Structure formats: C-alpha cells, structure tokens
C-alpha cells in the first residue's frame, strides 16, 4: 500500500476534483470568519445573488477591531464599529452562527475554534487569516486564504488550491528549562528564515513536539506562516483526544469513539516520503527574542545580534534598514535594554496556559514602573478560566490589570497601539515595522520572557528567576 | 467579467528591498473598509508618508522619475498576513504586474485573483532590471503572458516564467474561480453524499 503523510491523507480525502494543469478543488469542512477579511466577500455574494452553500460549516466572531476595554459600550471608532456591525448583519442575513461582542463564546477566532470543539483532527479548515495554521495543531489541514477565496467557500464550500509540497520538521530530545513552544517556534523560524518554508505544508514531529501540550502545539503551528509555510500540523494523539473530549461541538458518545478510531489512522505512515526533511536538536534551543523586523530575525535571549559580515550581500540593505528601525546596532546584546510595553495575548499566546505561565512567573513580584502591560485573554472562555483559577488575583497583586478579549495590540487595529519609538516585548506573532502601531518597536518572545521583562522593566533572561 | 491580461510593456517602479511584508504594503489600520476600492491611496503608506501625512521624498513612489504598471521588488515579496487588501492596494495604485525572485504563497494567490500578475524571475534577471532602471528610469520591461516571457528591453535579455495553465487561462479571459466553482455545484453535492 502507498505510504502517505498525515497531510496527504487529509488533503487527498477532500479533493472533489483535479483541474488539469491547475489547482485541486478542495472541500472545506470548517470555515472561520472575522470582520476584516469578509465584508467584500459578502458584497460579492450579494452582487451575484448567491446564498451560502453550507451555512452550518461557517462560524463567525469579530476579533480584530474590537476594543479591550468597555466592550459593553459602542465602539468609539466609527470605522471599526461599522466593520463589526457589517459582520453581524452579514451573518444574520446569510444565516451564519456569529458570536458577537460580550457573547460568552466571543474571542479570537483561532482561540474559540479549538476551545469549543469546532476544530477536529482530519478536517480541512480555512479562514481569511494567515494564522489559521493554528488549527493544524489538532491534526487538521488548516490554512489562511484571501477574501476572494472566502467568497468561494461561502458560495461553494470549496477552494481551488495547488497541492503544496510537504516538509517534516522534527525536533528531537528534551526542551531546556525556560524553553516554551513559542521559543521552539522562534528558533525554527530563525533557522528556516521568513521565506524558508514557502510552498510547503509542514508537519512538526519528533519527541520534543510530542511532549508539548495541546495549547503549546497551537502556539507552534500558529507561527508556521512566519516561515512562509502554507500551514503547519501535528499528528493527533492522546494529548489531542484528551483536549477535545467533551467540548461542545466535538462528537459525543458513540460518535466520539468512532471518530477517535478514524483519527488514529491519520498519523504519517512509516516510510512515507516528504519533499524536504529538517531535524533540530531540542537541547540547542534557548529562550528566544527577536531583534529585527521579521519573525526570522530571532536569537537566544542572551545572544548577540548578528554583525553585518554575517549577512549575505543581497540582504544587507534590508538588515540595516531593520536595525535602524529598531535602533539597535549590529553585534550588540539585548539583555539589560530598557523596555516600555509588554503585551500578553493574541492567537499565538492568549490561551489559559499562557496566562498561567505568566502569572506563576510574576507571583510575588511587582510590575516595573516603567512598563505598561496589556494582558489580553484570547477569548471570554479564557477570561473565565483566569478568574476561576484565581489568576486574576495573582496578577492584580503584582500590579497587572486584565483587559477584555480580542486581537488587540497584535496588529493594533483597535486602540491598543504601541506609541512610535517605544519598545514592546510581545507574545504575538509579527514584529513587522508598524505592526503594533506606527513606529512601534516589537520584540517577539514567550510569555516567560514577557513576564521577566514586565517585572524588571528590561530585557531579562527568565532563567535567572527559575 | 474582469480585465483581461495579455501583453504589457511598461517602465518600472523599483523596490530593491527583501521580505516586503503585507503590513508594509497596506498597514492594518487601513483594513477597516468594507469595499475593495481606495486601497491604492495607502499602498506602502508608512514608507510613503510621515506621521503628519507629508510625502517622504526619498521613497520611490514619491519620485516622479519612476512610474509605470510594473512593480519590481526584492526577494520574498508579500510575506505575512493573508489580507487580500495588499493585492487590492497594489492593483488600486495601478500596478498590473509584480516582478520578484520569490513571492509568499498567499499573496501570489491573492494577486492572481485580482488580475495582478506575479512574475517570478531569477536573482540575476531581477538584478538586471534593477540595474537597467537605475541607469535610466525610462527603460522598459515587457511581460508576455501567452508566451510566458519577460524581457528586459534595455538589454534584450528574456526569461520564461511559470504560471499554471488554469490561472493563465483565467487571466487571459477575465474568468474567476467563483464562476468555475458555481458551475460545479452538482459535483460538489454528489461528492458530499459519497464522502
């Protein structure tokens, strides 16, 4: 029998047809939708006088534009408000499930999908958002699409996609103290570069990946796009099943047992061939931080920024432009540098485990006076768990406040903008110029590195406290 | 019916920067519109204008010497988010093709879905265009979609480029994927029954 990869098994089972010399017509099991990349798709549906083909397969949640304070009041920015209202109206007009502001199920779409059991192994999942790769952690083929493709899914439950190549990235061994899934992601991206996996769908494998919790796996898969990959995924196992069991929209009872039996057939067959294989040693990974303006520009937190000679000729202009923006010098260390903002949240690190890790770290310490900290849960469910576990009390005692859920400062579409020239240690996924606000200087890191920065007011190695 | 793409000869706007991400092409704060129009005005917004909204003279789009329908960019153009607004901004500004040695996947799809042709060339060929345009900004490039060739008219050098035949057909005839998928509804229903 043909040996197949996890990716092949799921992709091939969803191909409705193959266009000769063209893309595959791929059936989509689950479609997530938010307010920013959907209005033009609904407008297109109206122009063509179409109804949604399979409304039960689409779930909507406004997340990008929403404020993280006073969500009970109307959104003050009229343009943001209009975009959120437009989503609510579109969902109603087209008969789609939507979790609007203050709905207990509202939150970042990539957080609420898994936590409500919508995301399941073996599915094809799309959303007009590149971080759809998050859902690959459950053993699904999940990837971001553009607005034209959102319209295709609404109209036909299919997209046209060339089948990507396959890459396996294995991380073997035991992770060091203070090293989280976020550090694994930043380390891999720093080695692969920001375009190193373009054209590929990546399966993460190896003992270090197996050892990650379900939420850690989501953090890792979330950032697959930052090395250019179409998506990232991890084979479902007991960790996956245990996470999913009993969640509202997961199969229940007999259907559950049957589903698990099927999901157990998904892992890559021994001997299946990938177009590319990369292996990393877990023991080489330290807590990471980025120093530049793309997620591939990362290093060990106690390391040095590369010097100009380390960069190939074609990349030197971009490298210098990047360091100029950050106001860092080639070759220097970041440890000890003063910072202004800390952001805990986003679809990368806005889940309950991230808040537990941050709270455990800051417990018994005080927030540094020079730091403004924005702690933004990924969903109301996460917020509820934070309160149920008493994490809010720990944070409060350490001088931190909790905000309301949303994408927030990850891309600063709401009021949570880092001011120009200020330094932010951010648990989000992108350090592009202006990503967190015009002129903002972002350093990506794990919740532990963010916590260490928040209590010391400067770039600090979290291992010094552990 | 969309605009058809066949053959294009134009001067170029050079952007010899690598890893140009979609947050530079169109910053997130401009994504709040509910139509596809108007994004061209904010293409490369934060490189084009300062905080007060004044033009930054050193940026290429503000240099009257450079104009044309072809954007020529460094390696890995369009990385980052899936926002189709990036393709709308590029198209809205008036570019009909982007030439680079490497494109991010989602941007490439989005561009093709908006009649903007992403043309992948070798590093050497890309450098050749940058050199020609730097030497004389009136130098042109010709992109011939039916023949799948791109020619640096200053040097006469030509290169073949790849595009899948389905997408080529769509661009040349102004079809889009939704037309195609809508024609397949009964096949999709049959597939659902048999899965």
């Amino acid at each position: 029998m043909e040996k197949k990869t996890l990716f092949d098994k799921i992709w091939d089972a969803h191909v409705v047809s193959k266009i000769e010399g063209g893309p595959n017509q791929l059936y989509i099991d689950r479609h997530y939708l938010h307010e920013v990349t959907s209005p033009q798709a609904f407008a297109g549906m109206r122009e063509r006088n179409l109804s949604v083909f399979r409304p039960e397969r689409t779930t909507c949640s406004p997340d990008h534009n929403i404020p993280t304070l006073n969500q009970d009041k109307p959104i003050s920015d009229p343009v943001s408000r209009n975009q959120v209202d437009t989503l609510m109206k579109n969902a109603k007009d087209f008969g789609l499930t939507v979790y609007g502001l203050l709905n207990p199920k509202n939150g970042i779409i990539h957080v609420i999908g898994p936590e409500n059991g919508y995301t399941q192994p073996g599915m094809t999942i799309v959303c007009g958002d590149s971080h759809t790769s998050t859902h690959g952690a459950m053993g699904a083929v999940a990837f971001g699409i553009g607005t034209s493709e959102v319209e295709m899914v609404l109209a036909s439950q299919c997209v046209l996609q060339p089948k990507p190549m396959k890459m396996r990235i294995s991380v073997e061994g035991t992770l060091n103290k203070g090293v989280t899934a976020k550090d694994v992601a930043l380390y891999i991206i720093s080695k692969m570069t920001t375009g190193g996996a373009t054209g590929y769908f990546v399966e993460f494998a190896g003992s270090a990946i197996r050892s990650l919790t379900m939420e850690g796996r989501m953090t890792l898969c979330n950032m697959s796009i930052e090395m250019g990959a179409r998506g990232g995924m991890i084979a479902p196992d007991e960790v996956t099943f245990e996470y999913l069991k009993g969640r509202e929209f997961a199969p229940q009872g007999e259907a559950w047992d049957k589903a698990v039996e099927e999901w157990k057939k998904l892992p890559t067959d021994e001997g299946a061939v990938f177009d590319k294989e990369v292996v990393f040693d877990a023991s080489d990974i330290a807590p990471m931080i980025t120093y530049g303006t793309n997620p591939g520009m990362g290093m060990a937190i106690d390391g040095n920024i590369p010097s100009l000679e380390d960069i190939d000729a074609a990349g030197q202009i971009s490298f210098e432009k990047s360091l100029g923006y950050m106001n860092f010098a080639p070759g220097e260390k970041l440890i000890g540098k003063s910072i202004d903002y800390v952001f805990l949240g986003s679809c990368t690190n806005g889940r309950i485990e991230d808040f537990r890790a941050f709270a455990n770290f800051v417990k018994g310490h005080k927030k540094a006076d020079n730091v403004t900290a924005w702690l933004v849960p990924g969903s109301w469910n996460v917020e509820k768990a934070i309160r149920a576990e008493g994490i809010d009390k720990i944070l409060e005692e350490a001088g931190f406040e909790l905000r309301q859920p949303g994408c927030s400062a990850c891309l600063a579409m709401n009021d949570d903008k880092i001011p120009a020239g200020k330094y932010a240690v951010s648990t989000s996924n992108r350090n592009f110029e202006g990503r967190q606000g015009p002129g903002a200087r972002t350093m990506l890191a794990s919740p532990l590195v963010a916590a260490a920065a928040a209590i010391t007011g400067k770039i600090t190695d979290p291992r010094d406290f552990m | 019916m969309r605009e058809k793409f066949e053959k294009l000869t134009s001067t170029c706007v050079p952007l010899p920067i690598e890893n140009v991400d979609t947050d530079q092409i169109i910053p997130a704060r401009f994504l709040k519109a509910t139509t596809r129009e108007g994004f061209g005005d904010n293409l490369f917004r934060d490189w084009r204008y300062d905080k007060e909204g004044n033009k930054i003279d050193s940026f290429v789009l503000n240099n009257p010497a450079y104009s044309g329908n072809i954007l020529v960019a460094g390696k890995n153009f369009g990385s980052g988010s899936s926002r189709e607004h990036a393709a709308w901004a590029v198209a809205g500004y008036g570019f009909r093709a982007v030439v680079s040695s490497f494109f991010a996947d989602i941007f490439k799809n989005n561009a093709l879905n908006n009649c903007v042709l992403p043309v992948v060339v070798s590093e050497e060929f890309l450098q050749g265009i940058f050199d020609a345009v730097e030497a004389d900004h009136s130098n042109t490039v010709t992109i011939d979609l039916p023949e799948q060739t791109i020619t640096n008219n200053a040097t006469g050098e030509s290169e073949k480029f790849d595009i899948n035949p389905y997408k080529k057909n769509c661009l040349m005839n102004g079809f889009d994927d939704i037309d195609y998928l809508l024609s397949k509804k009964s096949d999709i229903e049959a597939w659902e029954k048999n899965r």
Side-chain angles (χ1 to χ4, degrees), chain B:
Chain B
M1 199 69 148
R2 297 178 178 220
E3 202 175 354
K4 296 177 186 182
F5 195 116
E6 285 207 343
K7 197 169 175 179
L8 171 67
T9 296
S10 172
T11 50
C12 300
V13 176
L15 191 65
I17 297 173
E18 297 186 349
N19 303 317
V20 174
D21 59 73
T22 50
D23 277 82
Q24 307 320 312
I25 299 173
I26 184 86
R29 62 187 188 278
F30 298 110
L31 306 185
K32 299 182 184 184
T34 52
T35 67
R36 290 175 199 242
E37 283 75 44
F39 289 103
D41 296 342
N42 293 313
L43 175 68
F44 297 121
R45 175 75 200 200
D46 292 339
W47 288 348
R48 218 164 131 192
Y49 300 98
D50 65 17
K51 266 179 287 188
E52 283 74 43
N54 304 309
K55 281 186 179 178
I56 300 171
D57 290 336
S58 58
F59 187 60
V60 66
L61 291 193
N62 295 327
N63 184 340
Y66 298 103
S67 63
N69 309 117
I70 301 176
L71 176 66
V72 186
K75 189 168 74 181
N76 196 26
F77 186 81
S79 58
S81 104
S82 65
R83 60 187 71 158
E84 194 161 317
H85 314 67
W88 299 334
V90 170
Y93 187 83
F95 290 117
R96 301 209 56 210
V98 185
V99 179
S100 179
S101 55
F102 198 85
F103 288 93
D105 281 332
I106 307 182
F107 177 81
K108 193 158 52 171
N109 273 352
N110 287 340
L112 286 166
N113 283 334
N114 287 280
C115 274
V116 172
L117 180 63
V119 180
V120 183
V121 297
S122 66
E123 292 283 351
E124 297 72 40
F125 195 86
L126 184 68
Q127 194 55 51
I129 302 177
F130 284 136
D131 291 345
V133 175
E134 196 185 320
D136 183 348
H137 53 78
S138 68
N139 279 326
T140 61
V141 162
T142 298
I143 296 167
D144 186 329
L145 179 59
E147 293 299 320
Q148 294 180 225
T149 58
I150 175 167
T151 306
N152 178 344
N153 295 316
T155 61
E157 278 175 303
S158 206
E159 220 175 66
K160 285 287 258 187
F161 63 85
D162 275 341
I163 178 167
N164 82 52
Y166 167 81
K167 274 292 171 195
K168 180 177 172 178
N169 186 46
C170 286
L171 281 177
M172 287 176 59
N173 294 294
F175 296 153
D176 73 17
D177 290 352
I178 297 172
D179 299 329
Y180 177 86
L181 286 167
L182 290 173
S183 75
K184 298 285 170 192
K185 273 238 172 114
S186 54
D187 293 359
I188 300 169
E189 281 164 354
W191 184 91
E192 283 176 325
K193 283 201 186 78
N194 296 322
R195 70 179 297 192

Side-chain angles (χ1 to χ4, degrees), chain A residues 250-272:
Chain A
Q252 313 286 339
E254 252 177 67
W256 169 262
D257 297 335
K258 227 176 120 201
V260 170
E261 208 175 298
E262 286 305 308
W263 295 338
K264 284 184 174 169
K265 298 176 190 162
L266 289 173
T268 294
D269 298 328
E270 201 156 329

Side-chain angles (χ1 to χ4, degrees), chain A residues 360-377:
Chain A
N360 269 338
F361 197 97
V362 302
K363 193 175 184 175
H365 297 276
K366 285 281 180 210
K367 181 183 79 62
D369 289 338
N370 60 314
V371 171
T372 303
W374 291 336
L375 275 48
V376 183

